[in-house]
Every structure is written in C-alpha cells, then in structure tokens.
Amino acid sequence: MISDRVKKGYEKAPHRSLFKAMGYTNEELALPLIGVVNSQNEIVPGHIHLDTIAEAVKSGIRMAGGTPIEFPSIGVCDGIAMNHVGMNYSLASRELIADSIEAMAMAHGFDGLVLIPNCDKIVPAMLMAAARLNIPAIVISGGPMLAGRMGKKDLDLNSVFEGVGAVSAGKMTEEELYQIEEDACRSCGSCAGMFTANSMNCLTEVLGMGLPGNGTIPAVFAERVRLAKKAGMKILDLVKRDIRPRDIMTEKAFENALTVDMALGCSTNSVLHLTAIAHEAGIKIDLDIINEVSMRTPNLCRLSPAGHHHIEDLYAAGGVQAVMKELSKKGLINLDLMTVTGKAIRENIEMVRVLDYDVIRPIDNPYSETGGIAVLRGNLAPDGAVVKRAAVAPEMMVHEGPARVFNSEEEAFDAILGGKIQKGDVVVIRYEGPKGGPGMKEMLSPTSAIAGMGLDKDVALLTDGRFSGATRGASIGHISPEAMEGGPIALVEEGDIISINIPDGRLDVKISDEEFNKRRASWTAPEPKIKTGYLARYSRLVSSADKGAIFTI
C-alpha cells in the first residue's frame, strides 16, 4: 500500500506515534488510509452542508474496511465574488486547490482519495489533482440547489442578477427584486441551473470519476447521503483493484465528456476546465476538437439559462446517464470505458431510460443538430473564442455592430446600467484575460444587466475574460490571444464594426491588415492591475485561455 511509507516497519515508529497522538489505533493503521478532501465552508451555499456528505463518506469507508482521514480544501463562491476584485481570485483558486491536494496526498501517503467538491473551480481542481496524482480516487459532490419559486415561475440565481438590469431599466421595482432575492435560492447546493458547477458535476459522471447520480441528485435529498456512503465504500474497491484516475480519464473519456457537454448545453467554462484536466492526464484538447464534437452532437437539453428547466428536472428525467443512453442510440458515446463503479459505461446505462422527453429531447428530435457550445475564429480571435450557442437568441446568431470598448468589467457595467449601450452595439471588454485580469474574471453582472434590460436579442458582448454558466445571450468569451499579450482585441477601437457569425464559426473586426499592423506598432502593454501577492505570481505563470489557463511550468 502507498501508506506503508508512513506506517510500516520499525523505522516508522515516530510516524505511528504521531498518528496515535490523534487517537488512531494499530487496527486503524493496518487498514488502507483514505484521504477525504472536504471543501466545506460557511461562505459557499454549495458547500455549507458538505460536513454531512463527508460524514457519510467516512461511514462508507469504514464499512468497506478502510480508515478515513479528512482534510480541507478552500473554495470561492463565484456569486459572492462577482463584479469586484474577488472575482480575480476565482479561476486562480483552481490551481491553489489542485496544488494543495497534491501536497497533502504526497506528504501523507494516502492509498486513495474521496474528493468532495460542489462548485465552479473546486470540481475541476479536484479532478486535476486526481489526474496529476494518479492514485485511486472518486468524486462525490454536494449536489444541486433546488430551484426557487415565485408564484408559478421558477427562479434561480440568474433571476436575481437579471433583476438588477430590469430595475435599472425601469422594468421592475426594487420591491419586486427583493422578493426575487428572497425566493431564488431556497436550499443549499450548487446553483440550480446548468451553470458551471452543475456542468462540471454532470461531466464528472461522464468522465467516469463520479457514481451515477453525482451530477443531478439534489443536495437536500437523502439519496445524496446514500450516494456519499456508496462512494466511501467504492474507493476501497478501487484501491484493492488498483484502478487509477488515468485508467478512467482516457482520451476517449474526454471525447465522451465533450459530447455530453454539447448535448446538455453546459457552461463555456467547461471548455477551460476539461482542457486543464486533460492536460494533467497527459491528454491534449484543442479548440478544433471541440468544434468537431459539437458539429456531430445534437443539443438535447435546454436547462437554465438556455431554457426553463433546472437540474432537478434533469434528475427526474433520468439524469446524465439517460442523456448518455440517448446519445448511444446513434453511436455517439464510447461505451466500453471503465468508470469508478468498477464497470464499463455500457453496463452502467444498460437499464437506464429517459423518463421525460420534454427535458431530454429524443435523439431524433433535438433542439438543434449541433452542440450547445461553439468555437469561433477570425481576425479578432485567431486562437479561438467560445460561445454558449444554445443560449443565443436566433436573431443574434449572425450580427454586425459598432464596438463599444472598455478596458475593464467595471467600466462596462457602469456604462450598461447608465443606459449608454444601444441596440445593435457590440460591447468589448478587454484586459480581463488570464494574465490581464489577472484571473480571467467571470462577467455575469454585465451580461445579466443586458438581459434584464431586454437587450439580449440586440446587443453582443465580447471579452478575453469569461462568463458564468448562468450567462445567456450573444456573449463570446475566452478570446485568444488576450489583450494583455497584444492580441487583436487590444487593437479594437470605439466604433469599429464587429462581425459575428456563429453558424460559420467566425469572429472578425472589419478593418484592413494594414490598419491592424499600424495599430499594433503603436500598442504597448498597460501596467499590471495587481503587482503583489498570489495574483501577481499567477499572472506570470498562467497560459492563454485556449490552453485552459493552466500554469506553464
């Protein structure tokens, strides 16, 4: 066992003595030592209940003959961090979490890991750590929040963000917004739509690293606690059989993940995270592969923000496994891949069926024949940009308009709320990429303000930053190269005509090469926004968005 390096032999007597100082017995030390990585805290609604999940996991480990040893992980709440300096730390925290899990696992010789995340960066960070360490591991998330309800209308966090824009535009009173604020988030769990957290938890099932149901069983259901116990038991089977993350997260597994991503209409952040996880597993994902998968994969689900259904509806319709079963009818899923169940996907989905074809469309009657995410290229994004095609209004799939240029999210948000953006405009927010932000901020506030003001069918938004999974509309992010590296987005000027053609995968600014070269010759990089601390180090190490915003060394 891996843990023998901290507990076996007379020379490890000092080590055993330290274990005994914590109350561990010889009998416990004789068993496999399983690290339980718990990201519980009192600042993230998706994580506030994770002590319950951790206790269930530890019960499962003990039932299966292991010794659980819990240690913590940090977690940032993207909603609370939104639209201020806190958002600079969100994506950057992904690397901190992966690195800290590596440090704890390597320092203490665990035989296996049970990873307990729930929200945005924490899920991919834990998968990155699992791939990097390559010791037996399983993911059990805290589960999704239930949708809110006001009258007959379902609500989620996005309803509150869009309400801010509606109040600003005079379409809603502050009293009405307050009622939405009270009712939108009615339980613990990851926010109720197909936002980034739920996207990644669903894809954890597809990658084979989470048990069936991990992505969709609501946080407050007893079934979630039972699943946690099963995950605790299952890790001992993985340790005994020496089934490791890289045995599961193969190139074909990532192909499956991208396929289900397109079928579900996941967050554009999934592109960043799958690329980064694959990198840790020694597998390369580039944007061209993503477009190839998107072109052959039908979009079967339109969950919030693309539609009115929520994760609880997907759960009731059969969950992620049912989506995979539907895709398998046209040979779009690799079925013979190993999963943490100890069985292949084919066996996992054998008895599964879709229970509600209003939530999961039949494979022969999809919302569209192509996937929910598209990659765009052109003279404005030579290395690529990403858009959640499933959440774009039909009238914005092809659009031309004048650029309204802002050098920060805050400037753009003030202009939007100030009524300075007109129908037809293309809002350009730059110097918010991985290096320029630093940290590649999510921009739910400006996109929600645009939607709440009723402009989401008239105004596009482009950025070298990124968007929340809750964003809807013609919001195009991850523009690469970013402005801080002298990418073309840095050279756009107020009034330039921007051409967007999502069906053709194009994003261009209508100026000549000669004019581009003239502007490039006079461009100089601005001073970094943050010059000290972790973010200053992050900005020096981080790669471009098209590479997954991973550390380059």
Side-chain angles (χ1 to χ4, degrees):
M1 291 190 291
I2 296 171
S3 61
D4 285 349
R5 66 177 183 239
V6 299
K7 67 184 186 183
K8 189 173 182 179
Y10 73 89
E11 70 277 13
K12 295 301 188 295
H15 305 62
R16 292 193 297 272
S17 182
L18 291 169
F19 275 105
K20 290 174 180 179
M22 296 180 278
Y24 291 98
T25 65
N26 287 330
E27 290 78 8
E28 287 173 302
L29 294 179
L31 300 173
L33 304 185
I34 307 299
V36 178
V37 189
N38 186 4
S39 56
Q40 190 275 340
N41 58 52
E42 296 181 353
I43 194 62
V44 185
H47 292 230
I48 193 141
H49 65 303
L50 293 189
D51 277 352
T52 299
I53 302 299
E55 286 304 315
V57 165
K58 289 189 282 188
S59 293
I61 291 170
R62 293 188 183 102
M63 283 190 284
T67 297
I69 301 176
E70 184 178 340
F71 65 89
S73 163
I74 65 167
V76 170
C77 178
D78 280 21
I80 295 173
M82 198 71 67
N83 198 33
H84 61 90
V85 68
M87 182 46 68
N88 295 85
Y89 287 87
S90 173
L91 181 62
S93 72
R94 187 186 71 181
E95 316 310 308
L96 279 176
I97 294 165
D99 289 351
S100 65
I101 294 171
E102 175 192 355
M104 290 295 288
M106 294 301 292
H108 301 110
F110 294 116
D111 297 299
L113 295 174
V114 180
L115 305 162
I116 310 176
N118 210 29
C119 292
D120 299 74
K121 307 309 141 328
I122 301 93
V123 181
M126 289 191 176
L127 287 167
M128 289 166 67
R132 184 188 304 173
L133 290 163
N134 202 34
I135 63 175
I138 189 170
V139 176
I140 170 66
S141 76
M145 183 184 292
L146 296 176
R149 179 65 64 89
M150 189 168 67
K152 294 183 178 181
K153 182 181 179 182
D154 285 343
L155 302 172
D156 54 43
L157 180 64
N158 198 35
S159 308
V160 193
F161 273 100
E162 291 190 5
V164 174
V167 170
S168 177
K171 296 184 175 186
M172 181 183 292
T173 66
E174 289 191 41
E175 290 75 18
E176 289 171 324
L177 176 59
Y178 178 75
Q179 193 58 54
I180 293 174
E181 171 191 330
E182 287 279 289
D183 296 340
C185 301
R186 64 174 178 169
S187 77
C188 61
S190 49
C191 295
M194 187 53 80
F195 310 153
T196 304
N198 290 323
S199 295
M200 293 310 302
N201 278 324
C202 286
L203 295 182
T204 296
E205 283 190 52
V206 188
L207 283 171
M209 290 296 294
L211 293 174
N214 183 59
T216 60
I217 298 171
V220 295
F221 283 17
E223 187 181 355
R224 172 65 55 179
V225 176
R226 297 198 299 272
L227 191 74
K229 290 178 180 177
K230 291 177 182 177
M233 291 185 280
K234 185 56 66 175
I235 188 62
L236 272 299
D237 180 56
L238 297 175
V239 168
K240 180 180 179 180
R241 297 172 61 183
D242 196 29
I243 298 174
R244 299 176 180 242
R246 292 193 193 182
D247 300 327
I248 295 170
M249 289 193 284
T250 62
E251 184 174 354
K252 291 294 186 183
F254 282 98
E255 185 178 323
N256 278 352
L258 289 170
T259 299
V260 176
D261 189 330
M262 301 305 165
L264 287 173
C266 290
S267 164
T268 53
N269 283 320
S270 63
V271 173
L272 275 178
H273 298 321
L274 287 174
T275 303
I277 298 162
H279 172 77
E280 296 288 357
I283 295 164
K284 182 180 179 181
I285 293 178
D286 62 39
L287 297 187
D288 292 324
I289 295 171
I290 290 167
N291 252 359
E292 289 172 15
V293 173
S294 183
M295 290 305 294
R296 66 173 182 255
T297 305
N299 180 216
L300 303 182
C301 300
R302 290 276 169 95
L303 288 86
S304 177
H308 64 276
H309 294 126
H310 289 83
I311 300 299
E312 64 200 74
D313 301 309
L314 178 61
Y315 162 76
V320 175
Q321 303 293 310
V323 175
M324 295 172 72
K325 182 66 172 281
E326 198 66 21
L327 291 167
S328 73
K329 292 177 181 178
K330 287 198 173 179
L332 295 173
I333 293 291
N334 297 291
L335 295 174
D336 297 319
L337 306 183
M338 177 59 69
T339 72
V340 290
T341 65
K343 301 176 182 178
I345 293 170
R346 184 186 304 278
E347 298 171 88
N348 291 343
I349 67 172
E350 184 177 5
M351 304 303 294
V352 171
R353 61 188 180 91
V354 175
L355 302 176
D356 186 344
Y357 277 112
D358 288 333
V359 178
I360 303 171
R361 284 280 188 93
I363 192 75
D364 293 323
N365 184 30
Y367 284 102
S368 68
E369 294 293 341
T370 54
I373 291 176
V375 172
L376 312 182
R377 293 187 187 270
N379 69 358
L380 189 51
D383 291 341
V386 182
V387 62
K388 189 169 185 174
R389 173 168 43 195
V392 178
E395 48 266 63
M396 290 298 292
M397 297 295 280
V398 178
H399 179 76
E400 284 194 3
R404 303 297 310 282
V405 181
F406 303 93
N407 289 333
S408 71
E409 178 197 10
E410 291 80 3
E411 291 177 25
F413 187 59
D414 290 344
I416 293 165
L417 290 188
K420 297 178 181 179
I421 303 303
Q422 307 300 317
K423 289 185 176 182
D425 285 349
V426 178
V427 177
V428 177
I429 305 177
R430 63 191 181 192
Y431 297 109
E432 293 289 12
K435 291 182 182 294
M440 203 180 180
K441 290 157 67 176
E442 275 189 353
M443 300 191 193
L444 182 57
S445 292
T447 60
S448 295
I450 286 171
M453 295 168 80
L455 294 173
D456 56 300
K457 296 181 180 179
D458 302 288
V459 172
L461 195 152
L462 316 181
T463 183
D464 54 3
R466 61 196 179 90
F467 297 111
S468 165
T471 290
R472 62 185 174 96
S475 301
I476 301 169
H478 307 193
I479 291 177
S480 301
E482 65 173 290
M484 198 65 177
E485 293 189 316
I489 192 173
L491 310 177
V492 175
E493 295 182 358
E494 188 82 5
D496 286 347
I497 300 300
I498 305 294
S499 174
I500 300 165
N501 191 319
I502 295 173
D504 288 349
R506 296 294 305 180
L507 180 62
D508 297 283
V509 55
K510 299 182 80 172
I511 60 175
S512 67
D513 291 343
E514 291 77 15
E515 177 64 18
F516 248 142
N517 292 333
K518 178 182 175 182
R519 294 181 187 182
R520 186 173 284 109
S522 62
W523 177 82
T524 55
E527 283 288 306
K529 295 177 185 176
I530 297 176
K531 300 179 182 180
T532 61
Y534 173 60
L535 287 178
R537 296 196 302 275
Y538 179 88
S539 67
R540 291 194 293 269
L541 293 173
V542 71
S543 73
S544 176
D546 65 293
K547 304 293 192 300
I550 57 174
F551 279 176
T552 53
I553 57 172

